[in-house]
Amino acid sequence: MRIVAAIGGSILVQDYSSDKFLEYSEILKELSKEHEIFVVVGGGRPARDYIGVARELGAGEAKCDDIGIEVTRVNAKLLLLGLGDYAYQKVPHNFGEALEYSASGKIIVMGGTEPAHSTDAVSAILAEFVQADILINLTSVDGMYTKDPKKFDDAELISEITASDMMEFIKNQDVKAGTYEFFDMTAIQMIKRSNLETVIANGFEPENLVKAINGEKIGTRVISE
C-alpha cells in the first residue's frame, strides 16, 4: 500500500529525547519492506515555544506559521537520522518534491509546507496528491472524543465518524498558529473530497501504526458519507 502517516510533534519531542524517534524509525523501516511510506511530522512544544517568542517580537500569524514550519522540518531531519539509508535524506518543501523523491523507493519524511496549513492538513493534502491508500494520524489521544478527554472524565471515544460530522464538530475551533487542534478543517475537506480512508490513533504507542495498517479496530476511523 501507499501510506501517509502523520506523527504529532508532541509525540516525537515530548521530552527532548531520541526514544520515540528510534521507536518509529524501527517500525517504519520494517513497514517500508512491504509498503510505500510517506511521513509528515509536526512541530510540538518546540514550535509553540518559538512561535510564542515570535509573537512577543511582533510577528503576524503568517510569520509565526513560517517559524513553526521550520521547526517541523528540524523534527523531520531528526527522524531521517534514525531512518538512515531507509529514507531519502532530504526533506521535501512541497508535495511535488515529495512525489519526486519517492521515486527513490525510500521513505519520505517532511514537515510543514506553507502558512495556514497545519501538518494535519499537509498530511491530508499529501495523501490526496500521491493517491495514498490510507492516511494514519498519530496524535496525543486515543482518537476523536465527544469532548476533550484531558478536561472531561465523561468524554467518550468515537470509533467511527463521517468527514461531514467531523467538520460540524470542529467548525468553531481556534486556528491561530501553534494552537492545538484535534484536526483542522482543511484536512477534513481533503479527506471528504477524496473519500480517503483515515485512521486517527494514539501515537504514544508506535505499534498503533502497524495495527491501523493491518485494519485492526483502533482509534477513530473516518468512514464514507
Side-chain angles (χ1 to χ4, degrees), residues 7 11-12 17-30 79 82-83 203-207 209-210:
I7 308 175
I11 305 298
L12 292 173
S17 81
S18 63
D19 292 350
K20 279 292 183 281
F21 286 99
L22 290 170
E23 287 181 54
Y24 270 105
S25 292
E26 292 309 307
I27 286 172
L28 289 165
K29 287 176 186 178
E30 195 62 32
L79 185 56
L83 290 167
F204 287 117
E205 298 294 335
E207 281 293 334
L209 175 56
V210 179

Side-chain angles (χ1 to χ4, degrees), residues 91-221:
V91 177
H93 285 196
N94 57 59
F95 307 112
E97 286 183 352
L99 187 60
E100 177 187 343
Y101 299 168
S102 72
S104 66
K106 296 188 175 187
I107 299 168
I108 304 303
V109 184
M110 66 187 295
T113 55
E114 58 187 59
H117 282 170
S118 71
T119 46
D120 281 344
V122 170
S123 66
I125 298 168
L126 176 64
E128 183 181 70
F129 193 87
V130 302
Q131 296 182 302
D133 296 297
I134 188 170
L135 167 63
I136 301 166
N137 188 283
L138 297 153
T139 184
S140 59
V141 292
D142 291 331
M144 185 171 181
Y145 283 79
T146 52
K147 57 183 77 172
D148 190 340
K150 296 178 181 178
K151 296 179 180 178
F152 302 96
D153 292 335
D154 61 342
E156 296 180 2
L157 180 67
I158 301 169
S159 60
E160 291 185 344
I161 190 170
T162 65
S164 294
D165 286 343
M166 282 185 77
M167 286 182 186
E168 188 66 23
F169 187 84
I170 67 143
K171 67 180 181 181
N172 295 319
Q173 298 210 15
D174 192 4
V175 292
K176 287 185 178 179
T179 54
Y180 173 74
E181 307 296 338
F182 172 72
F183 222 56
D184 72 18
M185 192 64 74
T186 301
I188 300 169
Q189 288 170 341
M190 295 300 106
I191 290 167
K192 181 177 180 179
R193 79 178 189 179
S194 296
N195 197 26
L196 178 63
E197 182 178 357
T198 304
V199 176
I200 303 158
N202 193 319
F204 287 117
E205 298 294 335
E207 281 293 334
N208 283 341
L209 175 56
V210 179
K211 291 178 181 179
I213 290 170
N214 290 339
E216 295 183 36
K217 192 173 179 62
I218 184 173
T220 300
R221 186 173 295 272

Side-chain angles (χ1 to χ4, degrees), residues 70-87:
E70 291 301 321
V71 178
T72 67
R73 290 172 178 169
V74 170
N75 289 343
K77 289 180 180 180
L78 290 173
L79 185 56
L80 287 178
L81 289 174
L83 290 167
D85 288 341
Y86 281 81

